Amino acid sequence: MPSIPSSVIAASGLVGGYGVARWTRKRQLGGVVLAAAGATAAQQWRKQAGGKAAGALTVAYAAAFAGSHPLAKKVGAWPAVFGVAGAVALASWAVADRNA
């Protein structure tokens, strides 16, 4: 059974985490989605690209989450979330998924 690419998992975690937090009005639930997807993606990154790459991509994932907040003030919440999710997905694909 083919696995879901880590780039899709990471992007889904950012988008899904925000969506859950927004629609349930419970930020903690969104955080659970964000963390679960991040941990799952990190496991795949480590398997596919090694520990250093996994560490760098995990930092990028967390930075994307943090960076979406100030970006949302300039472009709106959903565009900010989709923008950072796309950036993380691209980085993940380039570092880990492309050669898998």
Side-chain angles (χ1 to χ4, degrees), residues 4 8 26 35 37 58 85:
I4 300 169
V8 173
K26 297 189 188 297
T58 300

Side-chain angles (χ1 to χ4, degrees), residues 21-47:
R22 181 176 176 127
W23 290 317
T24 65
R25 298 178 195 245
K26 297 189 188 297
R27 297 177 77 186
Q28 298 86 349
L29 289 179
V32 168
V33 172
L34 180 79
T40 302
Q43 284 180 327
Q44 284 194 6
W45 292 330
R46 191 172 28 259
K47 271 197 272 186

Side-chain angles (χ1 to χ4, degrees), residues 3-83:
S3 66
I4 300 169
S6 61
S7 56
V8 173
I9 294 169
S12 297
L14 290 161
V15 173
Y18 175 68
V20 167
R22 181 176 176 127
W23 290 317
T24 65
R25 298 178 195 245
K26 297 189 188 297
R27 297 177 77 186
Q28 298 86 349
L29 289 179
V32 168
V33 172
L34 180 79
T40 302
Q43 284 180 327
Q44 284 194 6
W45 292 330
R46 191 172 28 259
K47 271 197 272 186
Q48 293 171 336
K52 287 183 182 180
L57 288 168
T58 300
V59 167
Y61 184 78
F65 167 70
S68 68
H69 292 82
L71 182 60
K73 292 179 181 178
K74 296 181 189 286
V75 299
W78 280 112
V81 170
F82 284 126

